[in-house]
Amino acid sequence: MLRKVLIANRGEIACRIIRTCHRLGVATVAVYSDADRDALHVSLAGEAIHIGPSPAAESYLRGDKIIEAALRTGVDAIHPGYGFLSENPDFADAVTSAGIRFIGPSPDAIRAMGLKDAAKALMEKAGVPVVPGYHGTEQDPDFLLAEAERIGFPVLIKARAGGGGKGMRRVEDAEAFREALVSAQREASAAFGDAACLIEKYIAHPRHIEIQVFGDDHGNVVHLFERDCSLQRRHQKVIEEAPAPGMPDDMRIAMGEAAVKAAMAISYSGAGTIEFIADASDGLKADRFWFMEMNTRLQVEHPVTEAITGVDLVEWQLRVASGEPLPRSQDELFISGWAFEARLYAEDAERGFLPATGRLAHLDLPEGLARVDSGVRAGDRISPFYDPMIAKIITRGPDRQTALSLLSAALAEVRATGVTTNAPFLRRLTIQPDFVEGWPDTGLIDRHLAELTIGQAPSREVMALAAVKLCGALEPKPDSEPWDRLSGFRLWSQASDFVELDYRGQHVPVSLGSVGEGAYAAMVDGRPVDFRLSRLGAEACLLEAAGRKHRVHLVCGERDVTIFGDGESWHFGLIDPLAGEDETADGGGRIVAPMPGLVKLLRAAPGAAVTKGEALAVMEAMKMELTLTAPRDGTIAEVLVSQGEQVVEGAVLLTLEPEPEAGEPKDG
């Protein structure tokens, strides 16, 4: 077994690797950037080495600094995790040249699968079914358009390098092809340093099913069955499960054999994933799946495979890197139960899944209901420099229904404040009828986006509870009951109080009175509400109204409270009645940065006429591109940033000329 390992990564995966190393008695070394100086993975490792500034390009993507740290600390091996340098063959070469073991496949294997066009050609030669398309090197737009027309629209433009949905565009017709190609090439170039794209036939009812493979240095290769990763948004996986629902035995056998054949074609050693696309228009069939690509690393969703096979895949990686043969043969591997994984992100589903940054003021994760793999704690900052994942929540049950019910219950117990999370969106997915019935496909989220992203409005009782908390009625006081804040003496009337709440920009007036121990009468936005409260703990209350009781949790800041209940969350602020209105309101004449990021493209100049919805700028933040559009028709007044400039959240990028007053003629 290896003696000491450096983890060339951060966050959740670094913590995941460290925990298995500790269980096996392997010493660990972490690396960190300026932004991660106090990160969880740094505190878990035996040693930690600073490798540079916060941007990944200056730290986690600096292979030379990572190898220098490995040599300084005398490690036997480097584990790259996933992302960053994990699929960089030059880094793997440099690691081995330095006399250190790279925990992953050989550089040649990474190169063979690193470019999708070359990988597909190799798979065709090996007898693995490949999706119809153009996988050559010619990049002339006219030529690629002709190939798309030959294949037949709709088609999928895909970057030949990298993954994660970067440089991928679905195109419905020839008219939209050129603009989509330019956009895909620009994103691919920024993400992977390679703008080349390939063209594939778009499958109308696709299922994304992948096979976990594992090889060793003794010529052994096995598969550990399939994962269904069809629930996606913008080609990014959201919830994964294993095994795949509706998978017939003959198809499972055929896919497993094809995956092993693919791995053996490149003498693969270590953990890898063969990704297939399946046509589910007539159910899953053994002759209706095709190779898409291979990920030559551990996958984010590997825990669901671990849950149904009882295998620690990181332990297998360490053993194979130590020169040991695979711990089990194919006939010793079998599926037991069902598992799901949900990716909990700092993002706002109601605002187009905009990534969120800031400090995690409060964080409760459902450790008792699920396996939780996380790289952050309460008090940590979600940085704009890296992927905004908070945790992976994994559940397992004897069958699909049980495992999914457990996932739904676990997501309902997530309580985070300080940044917005996608927990309510994920929970709505777990009760979406098509998904519950076992019919996921890659278009499901887009088809049901409105119902999945529109949050449940807070009831008047919940708003009244927020008012109770914010006016101090729930705060215990010495020598008194915690509910008596509103029960003092008043001449001719009961005690009362008044607060004005802010809920997502709306002002909600609430007057509140106590009518007995734990009982209240309120007027919420002019409508009466009677309710009763019972404290269940430091944060939990039992809210009773209209003959119904339900448990809620309250997490408070200085002038705000977040209430969690029924799998939803509602954040309320306390409005200062002496504060004036926002003096910066200008009728929608500004285009501002919704979060910190890089201005990738500007499409406007002072004096240019624009129409509502027209794309004016493209920003890149947290691995995604955001297109900012004109809020109304008008004329560009100022462009306040430059292309390539890093901006902070709320920075004004462009302004429009003021709208003419009523009756005033417009210019021209």
Side-chain angles (χ1 to χ4, degrees):
M1 178 57 69
L2 298 170
R3 178 184 55 85
K4 192 174 187 180
V5 170
L6 180 143
I7 297 95
N9 218 295
R10 63 174 301 281
E12 169 270 323
I13 186 56
C15 296
R16 161 76 186 89
I17 295 164
I18 289 168
R19 289 187 176 104
T20 289
C21 285
H22 286 179
R23 182 173 62 79
L24 297 174
V26 178
T28 55
V29 178
V31 293
Y32 63 93
S33 69
D34 289 347
D36 282 340
R37 188 173 299 276
D38 299 315
L40 180 59
H41 75 279
V42 174
S43 64
L44 289 178
E47 300 174 64
I49 303 292
H50 178 253
I51 55 170
S54 300
E58 300 175 43
S59 50
Y60 295 107
L61 290 173
R62 286 290 302 272
D64 56 336
K65 290 188 175 183
I66 290 169
I67 292 172
E68 180 186 341
L71 293 172
R72 282 175 57 193
T73 52
V75 302
D76 304 316
I78 292 177
H79 195 310
Y82 47 69
F84 294 140
L85 296 169
S86 61
E87 293 181 282
N88 186 317
D90 295 335
F91 177 65
D93 262 333
V95 170
T96 54
S97 295
I100 303 168
R101 178 70 195 230
F102 179 76
I103 301 178
S106 69
D108 288 343
I110 298 174
R111 286 190 179 94
M113 290 299 191
L115 297 178
K116 297 181 181 72
D117 52 357
K120 284 181 167 63
L122 181 62
M123 291 299 98
E124 282 184 297
K125 189 178 294 185
V128 177
V130 173
V131 67
Y134 173 71
H135 306 128
T137 57
E138 178 60 61
Q139 293 296 297
D140 177 72
D142 291 335
F143 176 84
L144 292 178
L145 175 57
E147 285 298 302
E149 290 173 329
R150 178 185 63 80
I151 296 163
F153 288 98
V155 298
L156 203 60
I157 299 173
K158 296 177 68 173
R160 71 173 183 176
K166 302 300 179 189
M168 188 180 295
R169 301 290 186 275
R170 175 183 172 179
V171 187
E172 297 293 334
D173 52 46
E175 185 177 341
F177 183 84
R178 292 179 186 276
E179 184 175 350
L181 177 64
V182 170
S183 177
Q185 289 173 332
R186 181 177 64 247
E187 189 173 64
S189 180
F192 317 121
D194 184 349
C197 291
L198 50 87
I199 313 297
E200 289 183 349
K201 178 65 180 173
Y202 181 80
I203 309 299
H205 298 284
R207 290 270 295 275
H208 181 133
I209 301 174
E210 59 191 33
I211 301 287
Q212 176 73 58
V213 294
F214 224 108
D216 62 23
D217 293 333
H218 305 276
N220 303 307
V221 178
V222 299
H223 71 82
L224 292 94
F225 310 103
E226 80 276 3
R227 299 185 287 256
D228 193 306
C229 306
S230 298
L231 273 194
Q232 299 181 9
R233 184 192 60 81
R234 295 177 185 166
H235 307 292
Q236 296 278 0
K237 299 166 187 174
V238 176
I239 293 179
E240 304 95 354
E241 64 181 297
M247 171 74 82
D249 290 340
D250 62 339
M251 184 174 179
R252 177 171 291 124
I253 292 169
M255 289 188 80
E257 290 176 349
V260 169
K261 190 183 295 183
M264 294 187 74
I266 55 172
S267 302
Y268 197 79
S269 177
T273 300
I274 310 296
E275 299 196 350
F276 294 100
I277 189 168
D279 183 355
S281 56
D282 191 28
L284 295 177
K285 301 289 179 63
D287 61 349
R288 303 287 289 170
F289 70 89
W290 302 275
F291 172 87
M292 286 198 301
E293 62 185 3
M294 182 177 189
N295 295 123
T296 52
R297 54 172 168 79
L298 199 66
Q299 291 278 88
V300 177
E301 59 272 20
H302 74 273
V304 294
T305 295
E306 295 182 325
I308 66 165
T309 61
V311 169
D312 183 330
L313 293 175
V314 174
E315 178 180 344
W316 276 34
Q317 286 185 299
L318 297 174
R319 293 195 179 282
V320 166
S322 300
E324 298 179 22
L326 293 177
R328 294 191 203 174
S329 61
Q330 191 67 63
D331 59 6
E332 294 175 309
L333 293 164
F334 56 90
I335 295 173
S336 175
W338 213 287
F340 286 90
E341 175 184 291
R343 303 185 186 195
L344 181 67
Y345 276 92
E347 62 182 12
D348 191 341
E350 294 187 42
R351 295 178 63 200
F353 296 93
L354 190 68
T357 58
R359 190 176 70 88
L360 268 171
H362 182 96
L363 181 63
D364 283 335
L365 296 172
E367 304 279 357
L369 282 170
R371 167 181 165 178
V372 176
D373 287 4
S374 180
V376 297
R377 304 151 295 188
D380 287 351
R381 294 196 69 82
I382 303 299
S383 163
F385 297 103
Y386 316 116
D387 186 271
M389 180 186 284
I390 293 174
K392 300 185 314 196
I393 298 173
I394 306 103
T395 57
R396 181 192 177 279
D399 51 58
R400 188 175 189 273
Q401 181 180 353
T402 303
L404 187 57
S405 295
L406 285 170
L407 181 63
S408 188
L411 289 167
E413 294 299 311
V414 172
R415 293 187 288 277
T417 66
V419 297
T420 303
T421 78
N422 66 341
F425 162 75
L426 292 172
R427 185 172 181 275
R428 291 176 211 130
L429 263 176
T430 65
I431 57 175
Q432 200 283 326
D434 291 343
F435 187 50
V436 171
E437 290 300 315
W439 297 109
D441 67 72
T442 59
L444 185 148
I445 290 177
D446 285 340
R447 289 195 304 274
H448 300 279
L449 195 60
E451 67 199 64
L452 292 170
T453 56
I454 296 176
Q456 177 183 318
S459 66
R460 293 197 303 279
E461 291 81 11
V462 165
M463 289 190 280
L465 173 58
V468 170
K469 183 62 179 176
L470 287 173
C471 72
L474 292 181
E475 298 303 325
K477 296 173 177 55
D479 304 319
S480 67
E481 291 297 319
W483 315 101
D484 64 2
R485 165 75 163 75
L486 298 174
S487 58
F489 173 78
R490 295 289 190 281
L491 187 62
W492 314 118
S493 66
Q494 68 179 30
S496 65
D497 211 334
F498 175 84
V499 295
E500 192 167 9
L501 304 176
D502 173 73
Y503 174 69
R504 299 187 75 90
Q506 301 175 25
H507 290 201
V508 182
V510 181
S511 60
L512 193 66
S514 173
V515 292
E517 186 175 338
Y520 297 87
M523 293 290 289
V524 178
D525 207 13
R527 302 175 70 179
V529 178
D530 295 319
F531 60 102
R532 180 178 292 276
L533 296 172
S534 308
R535 188 185 291 275
L536 298 176
E539 297 175 351
C541 288
L542 196 65
L543 176 62
E544 180 181 357
R548 179 184 174 224
K549 295 182 179 181
H550 55 114
R551 184 172 59 103
V552 295
H553 283 76
L554 300 90
V555 178
C556 297
E558 288 186 11
R559 294 180 60 83
D560 64 285
V561 61
T562 304
I563 299 177
F564 299 86
D566 298 325
E568 300 284 338
S569 64
W570 305 279
H571 181 262
F572 301 93
L574 187 60
I575 294 174
D576 184 350
L578 300 180
E581 293 295 319
D582 182 5
E583 296 179 358
T584 66
D586 62 358
R590 302 183 304 162
I591 294 86
V592 302
M595 62 174 298
L598 185 71
V599 179
K600 296 287 291 182
L601 186 66
L602 286 171
R603 290 178 170 170
V610 297
T611 58
K612 182 177 180 179
E614 181 179 341
L616 300 181
V618 176
M619 285 186 61
E620 183 181 69
M622 288 183 169
K623 295 186 173 182
M624 66 181 289
E625 276 195 358
L626 306 171
T627 299
L628 307 181
T629 61
R632 57 174 170 84
D633 294 349
T635 302
I636 299 293
E638 291 182 287
V639 178
L640 302 171
V641 294
S642 303
Q643 199 161 292
E645 185 176 340
Q646 187 81 30
V647 297
V648 299
E649 181 178 359
V652 180
L653 309 182
L654 307 99
T655 63
L656 301 181
E657 297 284 0
E659 289 189 289
E661 297 291 336
E664 180 183 335
K666 295 185 179 181
D667 291 342

